[in-house]
């Protein structure tokens, strides 16, 4: 799938703009503060109803504008297209429309427009809290396994009930047992989906990484959130007093993690910043492969500041992989010359110059087709 049109109004410093991007490679270049990341943020808003830069959406709305609005025409693999729109005003009201119909859940946007973001914060996937890696994992599982969302919602409800009982003792013993049973059932289901996904992700990740980087002994493994020798019911029963003292459930899929180790070390502790960036790229590209196999439609990649941290050889290797993905990619950079070379003759590459919030397509003798 790809965005054939994007219209943006009221996002950061961007002047209202309508773009017709290439279905493949799009390069946005311009000076610091010109608005490149803001365009990626607008696309992210359209796919996920949230920003990747700020938790609140008010800072995204242009100063002196009442709202920000993004429209996109998405071309689907079955040759149909779909019109997505999102608008958010200063009072916090969010309106989402798909083909003219109001939609309440952002999950429908995410389902239509699967996005993968690679930006200078991406190394946090390795060194940050397990929650980030669970989000990464669950994004993939959500897109390849449609039963995942229901199981995840049941898990959240059972966890809320059990935790509330642990804190306030407001459930009787029979109700506690029932919620623990529900918790264990939903947990086993989620663990099964995650495990199946990891089994497919691992070889895809290893293949992708090999094309990007040489690191000996890098291992990806999955921790399900509780002792692998015992069932969750056993673990919950054994840890009841401790859970009660702490006021929440210690074990379960809400504690799952992906572990990346080089030998006996945490990858984040031994890899350089550039190597970490490439490992994260390999994870995200591998995930893109799996999602596109499952949905027959590709993800759209947003790669903010692609050249940063990378030497020429690794930059070219990453571009080659993104190109081989055969999907739509939006890349930002300050200096366009470093990304002009290296694309295949047949790959449609469009370049856009971003200047003080104005975005204009670049035609002409840049060495790259407009
Ligand atoms: N709500 C807002 N309204 C208007 N302008 C804003 C708003 N929020 C941020 N800005 C400005 O928008 C500009 C664009 O920032 P953006 O991060 O998109 O630039 P960039 O081209 O990605 O720069 P860099 O190369 O430094 O990453 C900045 O100058 C910033 O000060
Ligand atoms: Mg930027």
């Amino acid at each position: 799938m790809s965005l054939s049109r994007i219209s943006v109004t009221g996002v950061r410093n961007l002047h209202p703009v309508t773009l017709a991007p290439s279905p493949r490679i799009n390069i946005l270049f311009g000076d610091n503060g010109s608005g490149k990341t803001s365009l990626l943020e607008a696309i992210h808003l359209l796919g996920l109803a949230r920003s990747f830069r700020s938790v609140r959406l008010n800072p995204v709305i242009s100063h002196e504008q009442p709202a920000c609005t993004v429209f996109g025409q998405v071309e689907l693999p079955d040759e149909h297209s779909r019109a997505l729109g999102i608008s958010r005003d200063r009072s916090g009201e969010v309106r989402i429309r798909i083909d003219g119909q109001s939609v309440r859940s952002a999950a429908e946007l995410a389902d239509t427009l699967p996005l993968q973001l690679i930006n200078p914060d991406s190394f946090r996937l390795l060194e940050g809290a397990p929650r980030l890696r669970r989000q990464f994992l669950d994004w993939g599982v959500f897109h390849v396994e449609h039963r995942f969302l229901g199981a995840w919602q049941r898990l959240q409800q059972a966890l809320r009930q059990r935790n509330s009982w642990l804190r306030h003792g407001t459930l009787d013993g029979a109700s506690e047992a029932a919620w623990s049973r529900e918790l264990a059932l939903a947990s086993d289901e989620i663990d099964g989906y995650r495990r199946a996904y990891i089994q497919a992700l691992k070889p895809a990740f290893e293949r992708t990484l090999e094309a990007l980087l040489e690191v000996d002994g890098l291992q990806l493994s999955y921790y399900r959130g509780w002792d692998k020798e015992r069932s969750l019911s056993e673990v919950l029963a054994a840890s009841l007093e401790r859970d009660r003292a702490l006021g929440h459930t210690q074990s379960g899929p809400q504690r799952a993690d992906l572990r990346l180790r080089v030998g006996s070390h945490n990858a984040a502790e031994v890899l350089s910043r550039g190597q970490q960036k490439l490992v994260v790229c390999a994870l995200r590209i591998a995930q893109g492969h799996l999602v596109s196999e499952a949905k027959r439609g590709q993800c759209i990649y947003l790669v903010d500041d692609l050249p940063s941290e990378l030497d020429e050889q690794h930059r070219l290797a990453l571009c080659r992989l993104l190109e081989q993905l055969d999907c739509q990619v939006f890349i930002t950079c300050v200096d366009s010359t470093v990304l002009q070379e290296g694309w295949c003759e047949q790959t449609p590459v469009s370049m856009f110059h971003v200047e003080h919030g104005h975005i204009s397509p670049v035609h002409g003798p840049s060495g790259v087709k407009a």
Side-chain angles (χ1 to χ4, degrees):
M1 73 192 53
S2 61
L3 278 163
S4 55
R5 258 166 79 90
I6 314 166
S7 295
V8 181
T9 315
V11 172
R12 305 260 185 202
N13 72 331
L14 294 179
H15 292 266
V17 66
T18 296
L19 299 174
S22 154
R24 299 291 306 286
I25 306 291
N26 295 278
I27 299 173
L28 296 136
F29 66 96
D31 293 343
N32 294 138
S34 55
K36 306 177 297 293
T37 303
S38 302
L39 184 76
L40 300 192
E41 200 175 17
I43 299 172
H44 196 270
L45 202 61
L46 189 63
L48 289 156
R50 58 182 166 79
S51 164
F52 53 84
R53 287 207 278 194
S54 44
V55 181
R56 294 179 314 117
L57 281 181
N58 266 352
V60 179
I61 303 173
S62 298
H63 304 319
E64 293 157 26
Q65 290 288 328
C68 60
T69 306
V70 188
F71 288 109
Q73 186 77 22
V74 183
E75 305 304 319
L76 301 172
D78 59 6
E79 295 186 2
H80 282 84
S81 70
R82 200 167 255 192
L84 305 186
I86 184 163
S87 158
R88 169 42 162 98
D89 67 19
R90 289 201 180 272
S91 72
E93 196 182 343
V94 177
R95 287 163 205 260
I96 300 174
R97 292 176 87 80
I98 299 184
D99 287 337
Q101 304 287 317
S102 283
V103 169
R104 292 185 61 191
S105 148
E108 289 197 42
L109 284 179
D111 197 36
T112 311
L113 194 65
L115 298 176
Q116 284 287 348
L117 171 73
I118 298 169
N119 71 356
D121 284 342
S122 290
F123 61 86
R124 291 218 191 108
L125 187 62
L126 300 188
E127 68 172 30
R131 179 179 53 84
L132 299 174
R133 288 179 292 280
R134 274 197 304 277
Q135 276 173 0
F136 166 81
L137 171 62
D138 288 347
W139 184 94
V141 185
F142 166 79
H143 281 291
V144 305
E145 173 52 75
H146 69 276
R147 290 169 297 182
F148 175 75
L149 184 59
W152 192 83
Q153 285 164 339
R154 286 201 304 284
L155 171 80
Q156 297 308 314
Q157 195 192 7
L159 258 181
R160 262 197 312 276
Q161 294 287 349
R162 188 173 190 270
N163 286 345
S164 157
W165 173 77
L166 289 168
R167 276 196 295 277
H168 311 297
T170 47
L171 283 184
D172 55 51
S175 307
E176 189 281 325
W179 280 115
S180 293
R181 212 169 29 250
E182 172 67 9
L183 182 60
L185 281 175
S187 299
D188 283 341
E189 193 176 340
I190 285 176
D191 177 47
Y193 297 147
R194 284 176 173 168
R195 196 181 293 274
Y197 184 74
I198 292 289
Q199 238 176 31
L201 181 70
K202 243 175 102 93
F205 166 65
E206 284 160 9
R207 263 197 318 276
T208 314
L209 189 68
E210 220 175 82
L212 271 180
L213 182 68
E214 261 182 51
V215 232
D216 278 342
L218 184 81
Q219 288 289 338
L220 171 70
S221 64
Y222 163 65
Y223 166 64
R224 66 175 177 170
W226 71 96
D227 184 348
K228 62 175 185 289
E229 307 297 336
R230 291 186 297 167
S231 71
L232 185 59
S233 301
E234 286 174 79
V235 172
L236 290 178
S239 61
L240 189 57
E241 283 318 309
R242 215 169 130 248
D243 284 358
R244 221 199 293 235
L246 292 164
H248 61 270
T249 306
Q250 295 294 293
S251 302
Q254 75 283 7
R255 285 299 177 93
D257 199 359
L258 280 182
R259 294 185 172 158
L260 278 132
R261 302 183 75 80
V262 181
S264 59
H265 296 281
N266 237 334
E269 287 164 0
V270 291
L271 296 182
S272 74
R273 203 33 80 80
Q275 288 174 323
Q276 289 185 40
K277 175 167 175 165
L278 292 164
V279 169
V280 171
C281 289
L283 280 169
R284 296 209 176 273
I285 290 172
Q287 196 163 58
H289 276 299
L290 297 191
V291 170
S292 57
E293 267 170 27
K295 300 186 88 160
R296 288 194 314 110
Q298 299 277 6
C299 315
I300 293 177
Y301 279 77
L302 308 177
V303 190
D304 199 12
D305 203 358
L306 182 145
S308 72
E309 325 268 12
L310 301 182
D311 58 35
E312 188 184 359
Q313 176 207 337
H314 290 108
R315 189 178 69 231
L316 286 171
L318 177 57
C319 288
R320 207 165 307 123
L321 274 180
L322 289 169
E323 191 175 24
Q324 284 164 3
L325 265 177
D326 199 16
C327 66
Q328 192 173 37
V329 187
F330 292 84
I331 297 170
T332 76
C333 59
V334 173
D335 176 8
S336 65
T337 54
V338 295
L339 290 177
Q340 281 183 2
E341 304 298 324
W343 306 104
C344 282
E345 188 60 28
Q346 304 80 351
T347 305
V349 179
S350 291
M351 298 198 82
F352 298 89
H353 187 202
V354 188
E355 212 175 4
H356 304 302
H358 291 281
I359 307 180
S360 30
V362 175
H363 304 276
S366 55
V368 178
K369 293 140 271 178

